[in-house]
């Protein structure tokens, strides 16, 4: 496998990845400053919640289940699945990416919450930890599935699709049930995305495979 193919982030896309990570950091910082020490919804939050109330006026049991997708147990299980997809690639960086990036992203979120001080129902809200966890795993799965061998790529993309559907359902549940504001979701997604891209870039820098030595043993 050529170095360009073996990298989590190909060389031609590294600048774009750094730019995306930088934008995510700026968006998170802006939202953190704007909503610092507040417990009220912003204009976007009210608009999104109003629309969701129209779409889901009652019978919220399914959304309640979906909202729990990003909690500790499901997130750990999903991390194991994405790491398993990475193992199919037979490269150690593909296994380590979800194992390192997802916990790192969630840790950053948990550190930011009390610093920002935004609350909903007396709980720290921004960034959304559930969203951070699942978005980080989704981005990690995308990077890993992209470089998987052909036979394993289908499995990787299937995991990506399932994660995307799970993320959408979880976000709808979190906002409709009043567990998070829409802007909390945006900030959580930004933290998760930035963390994965930066960790992937770091792993690529450490991974200097010798020709013919790309297998994970």
């Amino acid at each position: 496998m050529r170095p360009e193919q073996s990298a989590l982030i190909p060389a031609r896309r590294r600048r774009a990845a750094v730019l995306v990570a930088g934008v995510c950091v700026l968006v998170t910082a802006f939202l953190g400053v704007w909503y610092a020490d507040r417990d009220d919804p912003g204009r976007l939050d009210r608009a999104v919640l109003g629309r969701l109330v129209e779409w889901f006026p009652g019978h919220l049991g399914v959304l309640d289940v979906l909202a729990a997708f990003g909690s500790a147990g499901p997130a750990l299980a999903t991390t194991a699945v994405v790491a398993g997809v990475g193992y199919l690639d037979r490269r150690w960086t593909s296994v380590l990416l979800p194992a390192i990036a997802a916990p790192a992203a969630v840790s950053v979120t948990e550190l930011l919450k009390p610093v920002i001080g935004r609350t909903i129902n007396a709980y720290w809200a921004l960034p959304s930890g559930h969203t951070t966890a699942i978005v980080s795993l989704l981005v990690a799965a995308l990077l890993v599935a992209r470089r998987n061998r052909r036979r394993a790529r289908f499995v990787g993309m299937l995991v990506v699709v399932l994660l995307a559907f799970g993320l959408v359902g979880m976000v709808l549940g979190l906002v409709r049930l009043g567990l998070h504001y829409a802007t909390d979701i945006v900030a959580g997604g930004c933290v998760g995305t930035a963390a994965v891209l930066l960790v992937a870039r770091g792993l690529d820098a450490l991974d200097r495979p010798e020709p013919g030595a790309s297998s994970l043993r």
Side-chain angles (χ1 to χ4, degrees):
M1 184 179 290
R2 298 191 303 273
E4 174 73 4
Q5 294 175 315
S6 67
L8 288 164
I9 302 176
R12 67 183 183 277
R13 296 178 180 171
R14 285 173 188 165
R15 288 186 179 180
V18 172
L19 177 61
V20 170
V23 170
C24 286
V25 171
L26 290 176
V27 170
T28 304
F30 172 78
L31 292 175
V33 172
W34 188 264
Y35 290 106
D37 299 320
R38 291 173 56 179
D39 61 2
D40 59 307
R43 181 178 300 178
L44 175 63
D45 302 319
R46 289 191 294 269
V48 171
L49 180 57
R51 184 58 59 89
L52 291 183
V53 169
E54 293 178 5
W55 291 350
F56 306 101
H59 307 291
L60 305 178
V62 174
L63 289 180
D64 191 32
V65 173
L66 291 173
F69 182 40
S71 56
L76 285 173
T78 305
T79 302
V81 170
V82 178
V85 173
Y87 181 79
L88 296 177
D89 182 45
R90 310 297 289 179
R91 292 192 66 80
W92 64 274
T93 52
S94 292
V95 177
L96 287 182
L97 179 62
I100 294 176
V106 173
S107 297
V108 170
T109 285
E110 294 307 312
L111 289 172
L112 287 175
K113 282 183 177 181
V115 173
I116 294 170
R118 189 187 201 189
T119 58
I120 185 171
N121 302 322
Y123 292 98
W124 304 123
L126 193 153
S128 163
H130 283 57
T131 307
T132 299
I134 301 305
V135 168
S136 64
L137 290 169
L138 175 59
V139 177
L142 279 168
L143 294 180
V144 170
R146 178 202 65 80
R147 72 176 192 173
N148 264 358
R149 292 166 173 81
R150 291 182 179 179
R151 293 180 180 179
R153 189 170 298 173
F154 173 78
V155 176
M157 292 312 299
L158 178 61
V159 170
V160 169
V161 171
L162 293 175
L163 271 173
F165 277 107
L167 173 64
V168 171
M170 182 192 73
V171 166
L172 292 175
L174 290 173
V175 177
R176 175 61 183 89
L177 297 172
L179 301 174
H180 274 289
Y181 295 122
T183 43
D184 304 335
I185 303 297
V186 173
C190 285
V191 173
T193 300
V196 173
L197 293 177
L198 294 175
V199 170
R201 186 66 189 92
L203 289 174
D204 281 342
L206 293 174
D207 186 26
R208 292 289 183 268
E210 297 294 331
S214 61
S215 295
L216 178 65
R217 296 183 176 87

